[in-house]
C-alpha cells in the first residue's frame, strides 16, 4: 500500500509505503479507483481556516492528527472484507460515504453522523483516498452507484455532491418554486447547478468573479450568470430572478459573497452558507426579524442524503463537470493550483 501523507501542514506531502492492511471485524478494504481533490483539502493541508480579522481556526487543535492521508471523495473496489462485514463482496465497486461519526451518540443515532462531536471522517480524522488502498469501518458506508457512472464521476458525489444536495434540501420547496442563486462556480457550484436540474428545480443563477467559471456555470445549466464585482450586481440578480431573491447558496463564504446574498434576499428569503473561504459580516440584528431572513449553515450531508442523491442520479448521471484525471504523484501540484485559484471543475486522482 502506497499513500501520500501530510506530515507537516503547508509542506509538500510525502509518500509512505506499508504492507496492505487486513480488514478486521466489520471493516472493508478497498483498492482506490478514484479520489477527488476537494477545496477543503487545501485548508487541511494548510492547517487552518481564516476567521477574519487575522484570526485562524487551527485544525491541529481540532483533533486532526498528522501524518494524515487526505482524500474524502472516494470510489473503490472491494479487495477484502472483515469477518463481520456483510452486504459487499470482493470485486464490488462502491462510493464511500466519508462523514462518519462515532456511531454511538444521539446525533449519530438520529442519522446526522456528519455533525458528530467525535468525528471519524475519512481523509480528515482517519486516512483517506490519496492512497492505493483504503479501509472503511463498515459496509453501510459503501454505496452502490450503479453502472452508468465512471468512478471519477461518482467520487465527487461523496463530498461536493452531498454538500450541494444537503444545502439544497435546506431550501425545501423553494428549489422547485424559485430560482436559486448559486454563489461560486467552482466544483461545488457546478455540481449544485446540475443537481438543481436533476431535482427538476426552477433553475440556477450563477455568481462568480471569474469569467471562465461563469461560462462553465452556463454550460452546466445556469440560466443566468452575474459578475459580483459589477456595481449593479444586486439589481442584476433580482432582474434574473424576476424579483427579489428567495434562495441563495453561498459556496464561497467570504464577507463580500455573504453580503451580496443578504442584500439580494426578499423578506422571508433564505441564505445557506456552505463555503469556508473565511471572513466575517456585520449584520444589524433588527434586519433578521424585520426581513424574516434565514441564514443557515450547511456542513456536508447525511448518509441518508447521499443515498437519496445516488438514487436521483444513478440512472441519469449528472452531466460531467469538467474533470481532470491525475496520477497520485500529481496531487501536490493540484493543491498548489487550487491555492492559486487555477482549477476549473474537479480534479480526481486515480491511485490504484
Ligand atoms: Zn470535500
Ligand atoms: Zn456520534
Amino acid at each position: 500500500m502506497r499513500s501520500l501523507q501530510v506530515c507537516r501542514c503547508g509542506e509538500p506531502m510525502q509518500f509512505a509505503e506499508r504492507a496492505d492492511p487486513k480488514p478486521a471485524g466489520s471493516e472493508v478494504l478497498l483498492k482506490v479507483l478514484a479520489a477527488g481533490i476537494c477545496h477543503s483539502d487545501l485548508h487541511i493541508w494548510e492547517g487552518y481556516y481564516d476567521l477574519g480579522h487575522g484570526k485562524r481556526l487551527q485544525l491541529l487543535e481540532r483533533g486532526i492528527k498528522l501524518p494524515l492521508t487526505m482524500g474524502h471523495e472516494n470510489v473503490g473496489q472491494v479487495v477484502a472484507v472483515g469477518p463481520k462485514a456483510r452486504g459487499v463482496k470482493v470485486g464490488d465497486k462502491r462510493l464511500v460515504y466519508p462523514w462518519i461519526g462515532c456511531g454511538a451518540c444521539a446525533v449519530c443515532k438520529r442519522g446526522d453522523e456528519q455533525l458528530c462531536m467525535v468525528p471519524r471522517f475519512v481523509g480528515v480524522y482517519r486516512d483517506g483516498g490519496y492512497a492505493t488502498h483504503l479501509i472503511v469501518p463498515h459496509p453501510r458506508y459503501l454505496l452502490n452507484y450503479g453502472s452508468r457512472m465512471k468512478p471519477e464521476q461518482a467520487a465527487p458525489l461523496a463530498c461536493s455532491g452531498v454538500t450541494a444536495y444537503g444545502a439544497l434540501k435546506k431550501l425545501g420547496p423553494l428549489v422547485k418554486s424559485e430560482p436559486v442563486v448559486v454563489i461560486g462556480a467552482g466544483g461545488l457550484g457546478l455540481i449544485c447547478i446540475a443537481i438543481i436540474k436533476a431535482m427538476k428545480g426552477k433553475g440556477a443563477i450563477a455568481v462568480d468573479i471569474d469569467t471562465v467559471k461563469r461560462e462553465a456555470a452556463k454550460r452546466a445549466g445556469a440560466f443566468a450568470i452575474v459578475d459580483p464585482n459589477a456595481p449593479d450586481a444586486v439589481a442584476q440578480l433580482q432582474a434574473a430572478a424576476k424579483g427579489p431573491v428567495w434562495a441563495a447558496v453561498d459556496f464561497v463564504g467570504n464577507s463580500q459573497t455573504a453580503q451580496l446574498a443578504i442584500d439580494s434576499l426578499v423578506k422571508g428569503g433564505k441564505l445557506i452558507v456552505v463555503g469556508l473561504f473565511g471572513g466575517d459580516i456585520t449584520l444589524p440584528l433588527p434586519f433578521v426579524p424585520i426581513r424574516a431572513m434565514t441564514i443557515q449553515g450547511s456542513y456536508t450531508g447525511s448518509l441518508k442524503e447521499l443515498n437519496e442523491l445516488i438514487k436521483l442520479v444513478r440512472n441519469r448521471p449528472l452531466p460531467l463537470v469538467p474533470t481532470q484525471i491525475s496520477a497520485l504523484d500529481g496531487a501536490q501540484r493540484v493543491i498548489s493550483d487550487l491555492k492559486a485559484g487555477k482549477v476549473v471543475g474537479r480534479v480526481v486522482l486515480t491511485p490504484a
Side-chain angles (χ1 to χ4, degrees):
M1 168 173 175
R2 196 163 171 254
S3 54
L4 191 53
Q5 298 179 325
V6 181
C7 296
R8 289 175 71 101
C9 289
E11 292 186 9
M13 294 181 281
Q14 292 181 9
F15 277 104
E17 286 194 41
R18 56 180 277 215
D20 291 354
K22 280 203 167 53
S26 63
E27 289 177 344
V28 179
L29 178 67
L30 304 162
K31 180 173 82 175
V32 182
L33 301 178
I37 295 186
C38 174
H39 200 270
S40 67
D41 289 343
L42 170 61
H43 297 297
I44 296 169
W45 174 72
E46 287 183 315
Y48 62 88
Y49 288 114
D50 180 5
L51 299 178
H53 297 297
K55 280 187 248 161
R56 288 175 170 186
L57 175 66
Q58 296 293 339
L59 297 179
L60 290 179
E61 291 164 13
R62 306 282 295 213
I64 290 181
K65 293 193 178 66
L66 301 181
L68 170 73
T69 303
M70 299 197 296
H72 52 267
E73 304 184 348
N74 307 302
V75 165
Q77 186 163 27
V78 176
V79 291
V81 295
K84 289 183 182 159
R86 301 277 177 272
V88 286
K89 57 181 192 307
V90 171
D92 286 347
K93 291 180 184 174
R94 291 292 182 268
L95 173 67
V96 180
Y97 176 77
W99 313 112
I100 299 175
C102 71
C105 71
V107 177
C108 284
K109 288 200 165 133
R110 143 188 121 193
D112 282 323
E113 291 194 48
Q114 79 280 11
L115 304 179
C116 177
M117 296 300 284
V118 195
R120 298 185 289 165
F121 302 165
V122 175
V124 183
Y125 296 100
R126 53 183 288 142
D127 286 337
Y130 288 20
T132 54
H133 294 77
L134 173 64
I135 285 269
V136 174
H138 195 280
R140 73 195 207 92
Y141 304 115
L142 298 175
L143 286 76
N144 182 356
Y145 60 92
S147 55
R148 308 274 304 262
M149 280 182 275
K150 291 181 181 163
E152 61 269 26
Q153 196 176 3
L157 295 174
C159 177
S160 38
V162 78
T163 297
Y165 185 74
L168 290 170
K169 288 283 281 191
K170 291 180 177 65
L171 294 173
L174 288 176
V175 176
K176 290 243 159 85
S177 63
E178 302 294 333
V180 177
V181 172
V182 175
I183 302 175
L188 264 170
L190 294 181
I191 284 191
C192 183
I193 292 164
I195 293 175
I196 290 171
K197 284 191 86 170
M199 293 170 84
K200 299 192 166 48
K202 187 92 173 170
I205 302 166
V207 175
D208 203 290
I209 51 173
D210 187 307
T211 322
V212 176
K213 291 183 181 171
R214 285 201 299 275
E215 289 307 321
K218 213 165 191 181
R219 284 193 300 276
F223 73 83
I225 49 176
V226 172
D227 176 359
N229 287 335
D232 62 341
V234 171
Q236 284 189 42
L237 282 175
Q238 296 177 340
K242 297 198 165 61
V245 171
W246 276 95
V249 182
D250 185 357
F251 289 112
V252 179
N254 69 25
S255 311
Q256 292 78 24
T257 55
Q259 195 63 54
L260 174 66
I262 289 167
D263 290 347
S264 311
L265 284 185
V266 68
K267 277 188 177 184
K270 279 190 179 180
L271 165 62
I272 310 297
V273 182
V274 177
L276 286 160
F277 185 93
D280 56 11
I281 53 167
T282 301
L283 180 67
L285 280 173
F287 279 12
V288 179
I290 290 169
R291 295 180 55 193
M293 69 168 72
T294 303
I295 301 175
Q296 187 172 2
S298 188
Y299 187 79
T300 73
S302 65
L303 180 57
K304 179 172 172 278
E305 285 169 337
L306 186 56
N307 273 299
E308 281 176 24
L309 176 62
I310 293 297
K311 210 172 148 193
L312 184 70
V313 305
R314 186 162 38 207
N315 295 319
R316 282 163 295 142
L318 299 173
L320 205 53
V321 163
T323 301
Q324 305 167 44
I325 302 293
S326 167
L328 189 53
D329 307 62
Q332 187 62 53
R333 180 187 43 78
V334 177
I335 295 280
S336 308
D337 285 352
L338 272 180
K339 191 173 164 68
K342 287 195 291 191
V343 178
V344 177
R346 311 291 303 172
V347 182
V348 178
L349 303 171
T350 50

